[in-house]
Amino acid sequence: MSLRSFLLLCLASSSLVPLASAKPNIVFILADDLGYADLSCYGADKIKTPHLDRMATEGMKFTDFYATGCVCSPTRGSLMTGCYPKRIGLHVGVLQQGGGKGMSPAETTIAEVLHERGYATACIGKWHLGDFHEVMPTSQGFDSYFGMIGENHGMSDLYRGTTLIEKNRDVDKNQLTKRYTEAAVNFIRVSKDRPFFLYFAHSAIHVPLFASDEFRGKSAAGLYGDMTEELDSSVGKVLDTLKELNLEQNTLVVFTSDNGQAGVAAPPLHGGKGSTWEAGHRVPCIARLPGRIPAGSVTREMSVMFDWAPTMAACANGSFPNERPIDGRDLWPALEGKPQAAPLHESFVYYSREGLPSAIREGNWKLHLVAPVMKWAGKLPPEALLDKLPPEPLPWLFDLASDIGETRNVAAQHPEVVAKLRADIGQTDATLTREARPLFKHTR
Ligand SMILES: [Ca+2]
């Protein structure tokens, strides 16, 4: 081939077939306390979520995706670092505003990894990984931050960067989803000409519940449903903006939740936030990147929040640093629908909100060594939950393939499975304990 025809061919192919960008944009949307069965594409019949449903039909839905923690801070730290919360000292409870603790600045975050690869990075919404300058989003890899640093109730204030702009009592929480969404859309617009990473962590659905007038009283599932529908509408606005800017084909969008619903879960799961029942940890997860993630696909691969850090790094054609051990694995083979010879994870360990290794899943087996506690059971009397507990003493073994609601204890029939899972949970916890790195603690 002559040089001239080679150049012509290059020119023709570059104009006809745009090369897939080596650095797709990434939008990671995290809901707070949204339950597994609370989106219509996950079986909800009283809550309408057309935008998330569309995202699922255009991308991949996960059936067996786990929030690392059953409460906020552990899961959020895990998402940022690719680690089990215990590895980074975040496995016990949640961080309190003014409590002097935070995720260590010595940890490598996905925002730092992407920033180093040339991404514009923004965190909008709930951070919940510390409220001192040293541990706020702008010290952990984000160019900018706007949001309520902790939970939408109590003491949490609204920040821009590291500046407190509104005290908690002055924030109109009914307008929070709208304000966050405007900020998110604005960030996408101003960043459209370079790779960007938006971590959009809604304060919704966490109790107490708030909704703007447009959504209040509109769903068939009370204020929780109204708030979920408003959240769905926010996702729609983000997707519409990507489409309008012609970025749809070049943006990975992920939607998931940081733990289960703070009430009693809708069937088929049992339990809720703060417990190691499936409904405490198993959450909806949807991922869309047209052309790479097959449209309308479903994965049953057991995967965990900590997988997204290495997966997002790989999406940016990079890799997550491994000088310090991490627990996450690259989800791309599963996301691209490639057949898997072996499961991504042999096991997943459920830590209780007290930080104890309480249950483990391997394949479809789940073993509970500690009885799950339901702290956020809403208004239900404790007796209503007791009848769900197996009458036999611990440990309890469930086959999630046939008993996703964890109601039939089969430990007595499978002593060898119980023994293996018991040994494995001990081994995982021993490794994490031995290798654990410290939290940030303010010394002033
Ligand atoms: Ca939460």
Side-chain angles (χ1 to χ4, degrees), residues 31-33 70-73 76 126 206 257-260 273:
D32 193 357
D33 298 4
C70 54
V71 289
C72 307
S73 303
R76 288 156 196 267
K126 175 172 167 176
H206 201 291
S257 175
D258 71 336
N259 50 252
K273 176 183 181 179

Side-chain angles (χ1 to χ4, degrees), residues 24-229:
N25 310 304
I26 301 172
V27 175
F28 197 101
I29 307 173
L30 188 66
D32 193 357
D33 298 4
L34 177 75
Y36 183 76
D38 295 333
L39 303 178
S40 19
C41 54
Y42 277 82
D45 53 2
K46 292 190 174 135
I47 304 174
K48 303 273 176 269
T49 53
H51 302 288
L52 285 159
D53 301 347
R54 176 165 72 90
M55 204 178 131
T57 59
E58 293 171 354
M60 178 175 276
K61 199 172 88 167
F62 291 66
T63 60
D64 292 59
F65 181 78
Y66 288 91
T68 341
C70 54
V71 289
C72 307
S73 303
T75 294
R76 288 156 196 267
S78 175
L79 168 64
M80 286 294 116
T81 59
C83 294
Y84 266 107
K86 186 156 192 180
R87 195 180 278 293
I88 55 172
L90 271 171
H91 54 304
V92 183
V94 297
L95 299 179
Q96 305 295 339
Q97 176 155 324
K101 293 178 184 171
M103 184 174 71
S104 171
E107 295 299 337
T108 302
T109 69
I110 183 58
E112 286 164 352
V113 171
L114 294 174
H115 196 266
E116 211 161 84
R117 297 195 62 72
Y119 279 64
T121 54
C123 175
I124 294 171
K126 175 172 167 176
W127 175 241
H128 220 171
L129 290 171
D131 56 349
F132 288 90
H133 286 198
E134 297 91 325
V135 294
M136 285 182 69
T138 45
S139 301
Q140 300 275 29
F142 291 99
D143 295 323
S144 63
Y145 174 61
F146 171 64
M148 295 242 295
I149 203 88
E151 285 149 354
N152 61 4
H153 61 81
M155 300 296 291
S156 188
D157 302 317
L158 189 69
Y159 284 79
R160 191 177 300 282
T162 53
T163 307
L164 195 163
I165 56 171
E166 284 169 41
K167 293 290 283 179
N168 183 283
R169 61 173 181 273
D170 299 327
V171 180
D172 181 353
K173 280 93 175 182
N174 293 314
Q175 299 303 318
L176 214 45
T177 299
K178 274 194 190 316
R179 289 177 75 182
Y180 285 171
T181 307
E182 278 163 23
V185 165
N186 187 49
F187 170 73
I188 293 171
R189 286 190 190 287
V190 301
S191 312
K192 67 180 170 53
D193 296 324
R194 59 181 286 198
F196 61 81
F197 169 46
L198 168 62
Y199 171 40
F200 188 0
H202 280 273
S203 294
I205 316 296
H206 201 291
V207 290
L209 304 171
F210 300 97
S212 68
D213 287 343
E214 196 186 327
F215 290 89
R216 188 174 285 265
K218 299 290 159 63
S219 81
L223 203 44
Y224 180 90
D226 300 345
M227 207 170 177
T228 308
E229 293 188 358

